[in-house]
Amino acid sequence: MGKNQPGYFGEFGGRYSPEILTEALEELESTYQKLKKSKKFKKELEFYLQNYVGRPSPLTYAERLTKHWGGARIWLKREDLNHTGAHKINNAIGQALIAKFMGKKRIIAETGAGQHGLATATVGAMFGMETVVYMGAVDVERQNLNAKKIEMLGAKILPVTAGEATLKEATSEAMRDWALNVSTTHYIVGSAIGPHPFPTIVRDLQSIIGKEAKSQFKKQNHKLPHAIVACVGGGSNAIGMFHAFLKDKHVAIYGAEAGGLGPKPGEHSATLTYGKTGFLHGTKTLIIQDEGGQIVPAHSVSAGLDYPGVGPEHAFLSQTKRVDYRMVTDEQALDSFLEVTRIEGIIPALETAHAFHVAREVAKDLGKKKDLIICLSGRGDKDVTEVLRLLGERSK
Amino acid sequence: MSKIKDLFNSGKFKSAFIPYFTLGDPNYNDSIEFGKTILDNGADILELGIPFSDPVADGPVIQRAVARSLKNKFSFDEIFRVTKEIHLHKQETPLVYLTYFNPIYHCGIQTFLDRAKEAGVVGLVIPDLPFDTKESETLFHELRKRDMDLIHLVTPASTKKRIESLKKTSTGFIYYVTSFGVTGERREFSVDLKERIRFLKDTIQLPICAGFGISTPEQANQIAGYADGIIIGSAIQRVIEENGQNSPKTKDVLADYISKIRASIT
Ligand SMILES: Cc1ncc(COP(=O)(O)O)c(C=O)c1O
């Protein structure tokens, strides 16, 4: 492996994980290459996406939000309507099928917001696989509804108390489990992160979002949208949304990352704004780190964006400036959450609320008669308790 | 000529004892004392851990050690200062660093190696830098220029083909990971451990040292029967964890444990 070889996006990506995982990663890569071309696999994946996930997800014209913002026409790609309520299921189903083809009987996952854990627990139940979900102890608290659902589905949650007890630590712990059980277990990585081939597999599985959005929009409007927006934690819903549009140079692409409480280290998860090139969880990418090369704890109001790294393909797209990544603070995300809920009758995930804030800015800049699609990555039921708590604090 | 190669050629021991501990746990000055104690009681090579916030190849004991270390402000100046002090205490014992790649990359490969060499370090072990990466190649060449070694890890899952291809860029010794999973004390080892080490010895013309999971003198004795060296980390770190600061007691327990292991493998 080297520059310009598979697994790299420019200088980013690659495989920088403990040696014990190398064989499994190579097996995964070769299996995936075969399955990608296999009619049987494609058919089976399509079957589950249609009949279990509920794809294609609608592309909704948001009339009220369009009027309210007073700029570009707003369209919503409704990943919130997927079974389990977010885009994460697209990837979980695909990887569970890959695991099945590899003969692995046990699946593990890391989760922040709990959406990926929920998706993995769901496919684990459906395919009858033993499922273990690693979740930061802090996230088990703030995303308690998802934690409870995961257990109800028969998966085991292992709360991780190390460090900040959030997504980064859950990811490390899942990697350790995989190192121990690599012959029986498949690790369903939940975002476009991790050692090669994970960023590519996750992107391919999520790219259905952008493919559908593109053809739905074309069918209704006989053209392409002027801009698209998605939120970026690890970056899986975003790369899924972006991928089909990357070559359409006149489509402006925006990513929203978590600006948290402010620009100080430890107060945000704005990797693409403040990160420096480094190595974390098996990949070379932009990472928030200090002068000693230690990873700085991330912060975001949304557990799903609370990660100090980012998928390597986003690091590349940021470097080449194909995508404009912007920061959104906790406060701004909370305001957007409330606004979208009231105006459009859709409760978005707090993660997605970040995308709405950027979309509002972009819609204004674009002006009327232009079109903007937002990836509505997930629904916000899981966030209701946390939002009420934050509103309580705000009113104090 | 590599210091590690000289040492293994010297015939000083049947099997080398390579203890590991994390620098800065519980603080940098105590690390100097622990290092001296370990050197005085029978380390053939000493592995010093540079803490990294996300040690994915390490089990709970070393994770906790790293967390304690990082409660002190991490700085390369401190790392190199402490390393040098330990080195000056017993210059004939080779020191190697074990760390993850991110801190090295962040420091800058050239700067890091120059300063490490100056502090008395002769080799590196980097559990998250596979040999078939551009960065590993760069590092290997830079290390060669300085007569330093890049010690690769080989695991029970490494294929013969992969082992063949890492020969080109391995020096010093091979760190053979005795079991699946992460560092930490274990009761049992994989059944084919002996055969795997034998195969490695035949394939790569380097000493094969075994680590991950070894803690008792009995285990050390058994594995020293067919490995060229024994690496012990978590068990030593646990002594430090259980006894804490640089008290006379910690040093006594450490000295006792180190000398017992050393005695068990001769
Ligand atoms: C609804 C929703 N959107 C976005 C994310 C962020 O993940 P990614 O950046 O991989 O799309 C999450 C993660 O939990 C999520 O639940």
Side-chain angles (χ1 to χ4, degrees):
Chain A
M1 256 184 337
K3 243 181 159 176
N4 303 323
Q5 285 188 307
Y8 282 86
F9 307 94
E11 66 170 299
F12 302 107
R15 183 180 292 159
Y16 301 89
S17 46
E19 186 64 27
I20 195 93
L21 298 177
T22 303
E23 271 315 295
L25 290 165
E26 284 182 357
E27 183 199 358
L28 178 60
E29 188 185 359
S30 62
T31 307
Y32 179 64
Q33 287 309 330
K34 259 184 257 149
L35 290 180
K36 228 169 84 171
K37 290 178 213 126
S38 141
K39 281 212 181 89
K40 184 165 175 271
F41 175 76
K42 276 196 255 185
K43 251 191 148 153
E44 207 167 328
L45 179 60
E46 209 177 279
F47 174 84
Y48 286 111
L49 288 176
Q50 272 183 25
N51 300 294
Y52 194 72
V53 175
R55 301 209 72 91
S57 67
L59 181 72
T60 305
Y61 175 56
E63 197 179 343
R64 294 249 304 152
L65 212 50
T66 301
K67 261 200 204 121
H68 189 69
W69 286 351
R73 280 186 292 260
I74 305 299
W75 302 78
L76 306 175
K77 180 58 178 162
R78 301 292 303 278
E79 294 302 297
D80 61 319
L81 295 179
N82 293 343
H83 179 41
T84 69
H87 66 290
K88 299 283 183 188
I89 190 91
N90 304 326
N91 170 51
I93 288 252
Q95 284 201 51
L97 279 176
I98 296 172
K100 219 175 76 165
F101 275 91
M102 287 193 299
K104 308 252 162 138
K105 303 242 171 334
R106 179 175 179 265
I107 50 178
I108 59 171
E110 88 292 345
T111 198
Q115 287 304 126
H116 175 57
L118 178 59
T120 304
T122 299
V123 298
M126 186 193 44
F127 289 133
M129 290 166 147
E130 185 192 343
T131 309
V132 170
V133 176
Y134 289 91
M135 189 166 184
V138 167
D139 293 337
V140 172
E141 281 304 308
R142 55 176 174 169
Q143 303 285 320
N144 199 254
L145 179 64
N146 273 343
K148 287 278 176 327
K149 283 188 193 168
I150 291 168
E151 285 179 333
M152 202 163 277
L153 285 158
K156 191 151 133 200
I157 288 200
L158 295 178
V160 181
T161 54
E164 298 302 301
T166 55
L167 184 54
K168 172 171 76 96
E169 289 78 21
T171 308
S172 295
E173 214 44 51
M175 282 183 85
R176 293 188 184 107
D177 179 314
W178 202 33
L180 183 63
N181 301 298
V182 70
S183 51
T184 58
T185 299
H186 176 66
Y187 175 15
I188 303 191
V189 173
S191 193
I193 60 167
H196 177 64
F198 281 111
T200 305
I201 292 180
V202 177
R203 179 250 277 149
D204 290 356
L205 290 169
Q206 292 293 5
S207 64
I208 189 153
I209 303 174
K211 264 186 225 150
E212 281 178 10
K214 193 171 177 176
S215 81
Q216 288 165 323
F217 188 85
K218 263 189 178 162
K219 206 175 246 170
Q220 293 182 47
N221 304 285
H222 311 287
K223 61 174 184 177
L224 289 180
H226 299 85
I228 57 176
V229 185
C231 68
V232 182
S236 69
N237 88 88
I239 203 68
M241 180 70 190
F242 298 169
H243 200 249
F245 294 96
L246 285 176
K247 291 213 176 97
D248 303 309
K249 289 284 156 12
H250 51 285
V251 177
I253 307 183
Y254 299 87
E257 59 173 358
L261 301 166
K264 278 201 213 118
E267 292 192 338
H268 59 80
S269 312
T271 316
L272 293 154
T273 308
Y274 296 117
K276 294 193 203 94
T277 303
F279 300 79
L280 177 66
H281 293 146
T283 193
K284 180 177 185 182
T285 187
L286 294 173
I287 301 163
I288 309 171
Q289 47 188 319
D290 65 19
E291 319 81 60
Q294 304 293 334
I295 312 304
V296 173
H299 163 84
S300 170
V301 66
S302 59
L305 303 186
D306 194 348
Y307 182 70
V310 67
E313 196 164 3
H314 288 290
F316 174 67
L317 292 171
S318 155
Q319 194 180 55
T320 60
K321 300 204 158 60
R322 175 64 186 98
V323 177
D324 181 351
Y325 295 94
R326 298 184 179 181
M327 280 187 294
V328 177
T329 65
D330 286 353
E331 283 291 310
Q332 290 167 334
L334 191 58
D335 286 338
S336 287
F337 177 96
L338 298 170
E339 182 179 45
V340 175
T341 301
R342 298 243 170 91
I343 303 291
E344 206 52 63
I346 294 171
I347 304 178
L350 271 174
E351 289 79 9
T352 315
H354 289 72
F356 275 101
H357 180 84
V358 168
R360 186 188 171 134
E361 292 174 357
V362 172
K364 227 173 237 151
D365 292 346
L366 282 175
K368 286 185 198 301
K369 298 207 176 122
K370 297 283 171 65
D371 292 279
L372 169 70
I373 307 180
I374 303 166
C375 179
L376 212 173
S377 60
R379 66 182 187 222
D381 309 33
K382 67 182 178 65
D383 296 312
V384 170
T385 319
E386 183 67 5
V387 167
L388 289 175
R389 191 185 66 78
L390 292 166
L391 291 177
E393 261 179 28
R394 201 184 247 191
S395 67
K396 266 183 210 156
Chain B
M1 191 61 165
S2 139
K3 286 244 167 55
I4 294 176
K5 198 168 176 182
D6 287 348
L7 181 77
F8 279 98
N9 287 339
S10 71
K12 268 192 198 145
F13 44 72
K14 193 174 120 248
S15 199
F17 176 33
I18 312 176
Y20 161 94
F21 75 101
T22 305
L23 294 176
D25 169 28
N27 62 62
Y28 285 103
N29 286 335
D30 286 344
S31 293
I32 299 173
E33 296 305 311
F34 297 154
K36 288 180 183 171
T37 305
I38 294 172
L39 289 176
D40 287 341
N41 287 280
D44 298 306
I45 296 172
L46 177 57
E47 243 186 58
L48 300 171
I50 300 179
F52 176 54
S53 51
D54 297 84
V56 291
D58 285 298
V61 175
I62 293 177
Q63 281 178 55
R64 289 198 298 270
V66 167
R68 284 192 301 271
S69 172
L70 290 175
K71 283 210 179 110
N72 308 304
K73 188 167 165 46
F74 175 84
S75 92
F76 280 109
D77 288 345
E78 278 294 88
I79 293 287
F80 294 126
R81 173 182 76 84
V82 168
T83 305
K84 197 164 190 173
E85 291 280 333
I86 295 172
H87 171 62
L88 291 177
H89 181 69
K90 207 168 181 198
Q91 302 197 27
E92 66 271 28
T93 308
L95 302 181
V96 302
Y97 275 145
L98 186 144
T99 190
Y100 291 79
F101 189 54
N102 198 59
I104 298 178
Y105 181 81
H106 200 79
C107 181
I109 290 179
Q110 305 266 359
T111 310
F112 178 83
L113 294 184
D114 288 340
R115 295 191 69 186
K117 183 174 169 133
E118 206 257 327
V121 169
V122 301
L124 296 183
V125 185
I126 309 169
D128 65 344
L129 188 66
F131 72 91
D132 53 348
T133 51
K134 187 168 65 76
E135 289 80 3
S136 179
E137 268 171 44
T138 307
L139 196 60
F140 178 74
H141 289 294
E142 290 300 326
L143 282 160
R144 288 282 77 194
K145 280 191 210 159
R146 294 166 176 82
D147 283 329
M148 293 164 84
D149 290 316
L150 186 56
I151 295 148
H152 286 311
L153 290 104
V154 174
T155 77
S158 308
T159 57
K160 295 188 175 174
K161 193 170 140 229
R162 207 167 155 77
I163 291 169
E164 282 287 344
S165 55
L166 66 72
K167 271 196 325 203
K168 276 201 308 273
T169 55
S170 294
T171 53
F173 61 88
I174 292 293
Y175 189 139
Y176 185 67
V177 174
T178 53
S179 32
F180 283 83
V182 293
T183 56
E185 297 147 78
R186 279 192 184 78
R187 283 224 198 97
E188 286 168 51
F189 297 94
S190 50
V191 278
D192 59 347
L193 183 59
K194 194 169 172 179
E195 289 67 37
R196 288 282 292 179
I197 290 181
R198 233 180 239 131
F199 167 76
L200 274 174
K201 266 200 216 187
D202 293 344
T203 313
I204 308 179
Q205 311 312 320
L206 285 176
I208 313 297
C209 301
F212 275 46
I214 305 170
S215 65
T216 66
E218 294 71 36
Q219 290 172 332
N221 174 269
Q222 181 204 333
I223 295 173
Y226 43 87
D228 300 301
I230 301 297
I231 305 160
I232 297 189
S234 292
I236 291 168
Q237 205 65 66
R238 201 161 44 77
V239 171
I240 294 173
E241 171 167 275
E242 284 171 2
N243 294 281
Q245 310 267 347
N246 161 39
S247 64
K249 190 181 153 231
T250 310
K251 288 206 269 186
D252 284 351
V253 181
L254 208 51
D256 182 53
Y257 179 73
I258 299 292
S259 47
K260 274 201 183 114
I261 297 286
R262 180 58 269 186
S264 76
I265 61 178
T266 35

